[in-house]
Every structure is written in C-alpha cells, then in structure tokens.
Amino acid sequence: MNKIRLLIVEDNEELRRELVDYFQDQPEIIIAGESSNGIEALHAVKESQVDVMLLDMIMPVLDGFGVLQQLQSIPAEKRPQVISVTGLGRDDFIRRAVDLGVSYYMVKPIELPVLLERVQDVMRQAPATPTDHHGIHFSGMSLDDRLSNLFLTMGIPAHIKGYQFLREAIKQVIENPNMISGITKELYPAIARRFGTTSSKVERAIRHAIEVAWSRGRVDTLNKAFGCCVALKDEKPTNGEFIALISDKFRMEDISA
C-alpha cells in the first residue's frame, strides 16, 4: 500500500504540533505539509500531492468553509479527501461541511488513534480514478459511524430523541431481522427498556426524526447512499419501512464485505 500524504491544517499551533508529531510516527503516513490558515492550505494542495487533508474550520485569512468551496475549482486529480477536525459542533455547520464534500466531520476534542483510523478509512474508500469527492462514504466505517453519517447528511439532528431511538432500532433489526415484523410488540418495547421510556414515546420520537429529514428536503442523500431512487420527497415512509430499508442495506453491505 502506498503511503498516505497528509496535509494538516490547524490554526492552533499547539494542536498542530501534536498532530504533526503523532502522524510522523505512523509508518503509513507522510506529512505533505502543515498550514495555519486556509490560503496556505490551498497553496499546498496546488503545489504538491496531498491525499488527505485534516481541516480546521475556524482559521484566520480563510476559514475551513472557504477552503472547501475553493477546493471545488481544483481539478479532481489534485483534490484531497477532507476530514474536518473542529470545535464547531452545530448541526447546520456539519451539514454545510458535508454538502461541500467532507468525508468525515470530527468535533474536538479528538482521540488521535481514532483520527488515524479515519484517515485510513477515507483512503480505502477513495475512488481509483479521479472523480468528484462530493458525498459521503459508508463502506469501511463501523456501523455506528455509517448511521451517524447517514442521519447527519439527511438532516436528522443528534440532539433529538428520535436520533438515538432510530439508531438503536436499525442496529437491533440488523442483528435480528425478524424484529421488524414485531415492531410494536418487540422492537419498540426493547428500545424503551434500554432508554428507560415507553414504547409510545419511542414510536413518536422515531416518527418525528423521519419527518424532520423529509421536511428538510434531504431525501436525495438517502438515494445517493443507495445508488438509486429508494425514496421520494412526497412519500414519507412509515417507521417500519424506513428502519427496514436502512437495516437491509447495511446488513447486505456487511455480508458482501
């Protein structure tokens, strides 16, 4: 496997040095450069080969969003995979970054071994031929990461109850597909027990999470994840239909991996 050429873009000098020191010790990584602002980062991408960019979003001169926007004008073969590493945890910032092409969005503080795994993940999923990097990768991630990224890009905010209940429902149906046929008698009660609530509240919260996604017009993200049209904006699925759809997709991915 070729070594991964990594560009570290971080305004905080202490954290930047920590990142550089850590990744220099990784045998599969080459530090392609380090930058403290967006202008320097874009110059580095244009002047040298960069496979993956670790991108802070709050920087002087040009912030991370400005970098992502300007990356779109760079030829695809010169455009790196981008992992956002930032203190901005708001849902609207995360969705905007994902729309602009980041592969992962990580909120500080971060664990460096996890960050290394994410760098390796995006390189495993990088296209063999130059393409537009817009979109989000699902294969190669843990199940929790795949669900988090799908919900994120669909506009389901992490702070609502339905986010956690929906995640748990999909995981349980992946593990035991028969539970989908007993959604009210088995699945909802199992989730309710886990979270110390009631089945009716679980059902309502999941329905609300799906309604949020459809109301925000993020159905195209779901279709992109499947590679075909599986959902229409004017035809919101039931809880059971949505859970079955996602659980079937991820279970089949795991079987074929």
PDB file of all heavy atoms in Angstrom, residues 13 53 110 138 148 183 194-195 207 224 253:
ATOM      1  N   GLU A  13      -1.486  26.357  17.172  1.00  0.00           N
ATOM      2  CA  GLU A  13      -0.123  25.866  16.963  1.00  0.00           C
ATOM      3  C   GLU A  13       0.181  24.644  17.827  1.00  0.00           C
ATOM      4  O   GLU A  13       0.813  23.687  17.366  1.00  0.00           O
ATOM      5  CB  GLU A  13       0.885  26.975  17.260  1.00  0.00           C
ATOM      6  CG  GLU A  13       2.322  26.564  16.995  1.00  0.00           C
ATOM      7  CD  GLU A  13       3.313  27.705  17.203  1.00  0.00           C
ATOM      8  OE1 GLU A  13       2.859  28.820  17.522  1.00  0.00           O
ATOM      9  OE2 GLU A  13       4.522  27.460  17.046  1.00  0.00           O
ATOM     10  N   MET A  53      -6.569  15.721   3.697  1.00  0.00           N
ATOM     11  CA  MET A  53      -6.388  16.978   4.426  1.00  0.00           C
ATOM     12  C   MET A  53      -7.170  16.925   5.727  1.00  0.00           C
ATOM     13  O   MET A  53      -8.355  16.623   5.729  1.00  0.00           O
ATOM     14  CB  MET A  53      -6.888  18.161   3.585  1.00  0.00           C
ATOM     15  CG  MET A  53      -6.820  19.505   4.304  1.00  0.00           C
ATOM     16  SD  MET A  53      -7.743  20.829   3.450  1.00  0.00           S
ATOM     17  CE  MET A  53      -6.815  20.978   1.936  1.00  0.00           C
ATOM     18  N   ILE A 110     -10.503  15.250  20.148  1.00  0.00           N
ATOM     19  CA  ILE A 110     -10.472  14.006  19.388  1.00  0.00           C
ATOM     20  C   ILE A 110      -9.408  13.068  19.946  1.00  0.00           C
ATOM     21  O   ILE A 110      -8.455  13.512  20.591  1.00  0.00           O
ATOM     22  CB  ILE A 110     -10.171  14.279  17.903  1.00  0.00           C
ATOM     23  CG1 ILE A 110      -8.873  15.073  17.779  1.00  0.00           C
ATOM     24  CG2 ILE A 110     -11.312  15.001  17.212  1.00  0.00           C
ATOM     25  CD1 ILE A 110      -8.386  15.245  16.372  1.00  0.00           C
ATOM     26  N   PHE A 138     -19.704   5.256   3.124  1.00  0.00           N
ATOM     27  CA  PHE A 138     -20.335   4.402   4.119  1.00  0.00           C
ATOM     28  C   PHE A 138     -19.555   3.106   4.323  1.00  0.00           C
ATOM     29  O   PHE A 138     -19.383   2.660   5.438  1.00  0.00           O
ATOM     30  CB  PHE A 138     -21.777   4.088   3.714  1.00  0.00           C
ATOM     31  CG  PHE A 138     -22.665   5.300   3.753  1.00  0.00           C
ATOM     32  CD1 PHE A 138     -22.981   5.991   2.610  1.00  0.00           C
ATOM     33  CD2 PHE A 138     -23.157   5.765   4.956  1.00  0.00           C
ATOM     34  CE1 PHE A 138     -23.779   7.117   2.656  1.00  0.00           C
ATOM     35  CE2 PHE A 138     -23.966   6.892   5.013  1.00  0.00           C
ATOM     36  CZ  PHE A 138     -24.275   7.566   3.858  1.00  0.00           C
ATOM     37  N   SER A 148     -24.424   7.365  11.864  1.00  0.00           N
ATOM     38  CA  SER A 148     -24.253   8.774  12.219  1.00  0.00           C
ATOM     39  C   SER A 148     -24.120   9.636  10.973  1.00  0.00           C
ATOM     40  O   SER A 148     -24.739  10.704  10.865  1.00  0.00           O
ATOM     41  CB  SER A 148     -23.019   8.951  13.106  1.00  0.00           C
ATOM     42  OG  SER A 148     -23.195   8.308  14.343  1.00  0.00           O
ATOM     43  N   ILE A 183     -42.663  -4.893  15.249  1.00  0.00           N
ATOM     44  CA  ILE A 183     -42.129  -3.576  15.604  1.00  0.00           C
ATOM     45  C   ILE A 183     -42.802  -2.989  16.841  1.00  0.00           C
ATOM     46  O   ILE A 183     -42.143  -2.397  17.691  1.00  0.00           O
ATOM     47  CB  ILE A 183     -42.236  -2.616  14.394  1.00  0.00           C
ATOM     48  CG1 ILE A 183     -41.485  -1.307  14.680  1.00  0.00           C
ATOM     49  CG2 ILE A 183     -43.687  -2.345  14.009  1.00  0.00           C
ATOM     50  CD1 ILE A 183     -41.309  -0.441  13.454  1.00  0.00           C
ATOM     51  N   ARG A 194     -34.298  -0.114  27.089  1.00  0.00           N
ATOM     52  CA  ARG A 194     -32.894   0.325  27.050  1.00  0.00           C
ATOM     53  C   ARG A 194     -32.748   1.782  27.486  1.00  0.00           C
ATOM     54  O   ARG A 194     -31.793   2.144  28.176  1.00  0.00           O
ATOM     55  CB  ARG A 194     -32.327   0.139  25.644  1.00  0.00           C
ATOM     56  CG  ARG A 194     -30.878   0.595  25.494  1.00  0.00           C
ATOM     57  CD  ARG A 194     -30.373   0.347  24.077  1.00  0.00           C
ATOM     58  NE  ARG A 194     -29.036   0.866  23.912  1.00  0.00           N
ATOM     59  CZ  ARG A 194     -27.917   0.209  24.193  1.00  0.00           C
ATOM     60  NH1 ARG A 194     -28.000  -1.025  24.652  1.00  0.00           N
ATOM     61  NH2 ARG A 194     -26.732   0.763  24.013  1.00  0.00           N
ATOM     62  N   PHE A 195     -33.714   2.616  27.106  1.00  0.00           N
ATOM     63  CA  PHE A 195     -33.600   4.054  27.367  1.00  0.00           C
ATOM     64  C   PHE A 195     -34.493   4.527  28.518  1.00  0.00           C
ATOM     65  O   PHE A 195     -34.565   5.724  28.783  1.00  0.00           O
ATOM     66  CB  PHE A 195     -33.925   4.848  26.099  1.00  0.00           C
ATOM     67  CG  PHE A 195     -32.868   4.726  25.033  1.00  0.00           C
ATOM     68  CD1 PHE A 195     -32.958   3.764  24.045  1.00  0.00           C
ATOM     69  CD2 PHE A 195     -31.770   5.589  25.032  1.00  0.00           C
ATOM     70  CE1 PHE A 195     -31.996   3.653  23.059  1.00  0.00           C
ATOM     71  CE2 PHE A 195     -30.796   5.485  24.052  1.00  0.00           C
ATOM     72  CZ  PHE A 195     -30.904   4.521  23.066  1.00  0.00           C
ATOM     73  N   ARG A 207     -40.826   8.635  14.554  1.00  0.00           N
ATOM     74  CA  ARG A 207     -41.633   9.263  13.501  1.00  0.00           C
ATOM     75  C   ARG A 207     -41.235  10.722  13.307  1.00  0.00           C
ATOM     76  O   ARG A 207     -41.121  11.205  12.174  1.00  0.00           O
ATOM     77  CB  ARG A 207     -43.119   9.159  13.840  1.00  0.00           C
ATOM     78  CG  ARG A 207     -44.017   9.694  12.708  1.00  0.00           C
ATOM     79  CD  ARG A 207     -45.481   9.394  12.955  1.00  0.00           C
ATOM     80  NE  ARG A 207     -46.016  10.145  14.089  1.00  0.00           N
ATOM     81  CZ  ARG A 207     -46.463   9.598  15.207  1.00  0.00           C
ATOM     82  NH1 ARG A 207     -46.454   8.282  15.360  1.00  0.00           N
ATOM     83  NH2 ARG A 207     -46.939  10.351  16.183  1.00  0.00           N
ATOM     84  N   LYS A 224     -28.641   8.818  -2.816  1.00  0.00           N
ATOM     85  CA  LYS A 224     -27.227   8.730  -3.170  1.00  0.00           C
ATOM     86  C   LYS A 224     -26.549   7.583  -2.433  1.00  0.00           C
ATOM     87  O   LYS A 224     -25.695   6.888  -2.982  1.00  0.00           O
ATOM     88  CB  LYS A 224     -26.522  10.050  -2.856  1.00  0.00           C
ATOM     89  CG  LYS A 224     -26.851  11.184  -3.814  1.00  0.00           C
ATOM     90  CD  LYS A 224     -26.146  12.464  -3.393  1.00  0.00           C
ATOM     91  CE  LYS A 224     -26.505  13.615  -4.317  1.00  0.00           C
ATOM     92  NZ  LYS A 224     -25.875  14.895  -3.893  1.00  0.00           N
ATOM     93  N   GLU A 253     -24.386  -4.912   3.002  1.00  0.00           N
ATOM     94  CA  GLU A 253     -23.021  -4.421   2.851  1.00  0.00           C
ATOM     95  C   GLU A 253     -22.066  -5.247   3.699  1.00  0.00           C
ATOM     96  O   GLU A 253     -20.966  -5.591   3.249  1.00  0.00           O
ATOM     97  CB  GLU A 253     -22.944  -2.954   3.283  1.00  0.00           C
ATOM     98  CG  GLU A 253     -23.473  -1.971   2.257  1.00  0.00           C
ATOM     99  CD  GLU A 253     -23.315  -0.531   2.717  1.00  0.00           C
ATOM    100  OE1 GLU A 253     -22.929  -0.319   3.890  1.00  0.00           O
ATOM    101  OE2 GLU A 253     -23.583   0.374   1.911  1.00  0.00           O
TER     102      GLU A 253
END
